[in-house]
Amino acid sequence: MLSSVLSSRQPIEVNIGIVRTFVRLREVLASRAELTRRVEKLEWHETEQDGQIQAVFDTIQNLIDAPAEATPRRRIGFPSTGE
């Protein structure tokens, strides 16, 4: 407060420095709030996608565990001539 009352060069510079510091502090806090919001949004998306990824893995596991087909498959390619 004294730096804003005194009118010499040094108190004026100190006062400007104080104001700039508070402005910068406000900017940092605002960016931190934005950063916090973005991290929370990422965490929410991660949680949502974890469930979807788990469903994909469960489906793949079910396909792996499924019994083999009972009917034999037809061979692909030219028939052998028996030579």
Side-chain angles (χ1 to χ4, degrees), residues 7-81:
S7 60
S8 68
R9 181 174 169 248
Q10 188 175 9
I12 291 173
E13 290 176 8
V14 169
N15 194 16
I16 291 172
I18 290 170
V19 171
R20 286 182 179 160
T21 301
F22 279 107
V23 168
R24 179 72 180 129
L25 181 62
R26 186 176 61 209
E27 290 172 354
V28 168
L29 289 176
S31 68
R32 183 175 180 266
E34 175 67 16
L35 184 62
T36 301
R37 185 188 64 76
R38 292 178 73 183
V39 167
E40 287 172 352
K41 186 177 178 182
L42 283 173
E43 287 174 348
W44 182 79
H45 284 297
E46 178 189 4
T47 305
E48 180 181 328
Q49 290 176 356
D50 280 347
Q52 294 172 351
I53 291 171
Q54 187 60 45
V56 169
F57 281 129
D58 291 343
T59 302
I60 292 171
Q61 189 63 43
N62 289 338
L63 290 173
I64 291 172
D65 294 341
E69 294 181 15
T71 59
R73 293 181 162 248
R74 196 177 112 227
R75 292 183 60 97
I76 298 175
F78 295 108
S80 63
T81 59

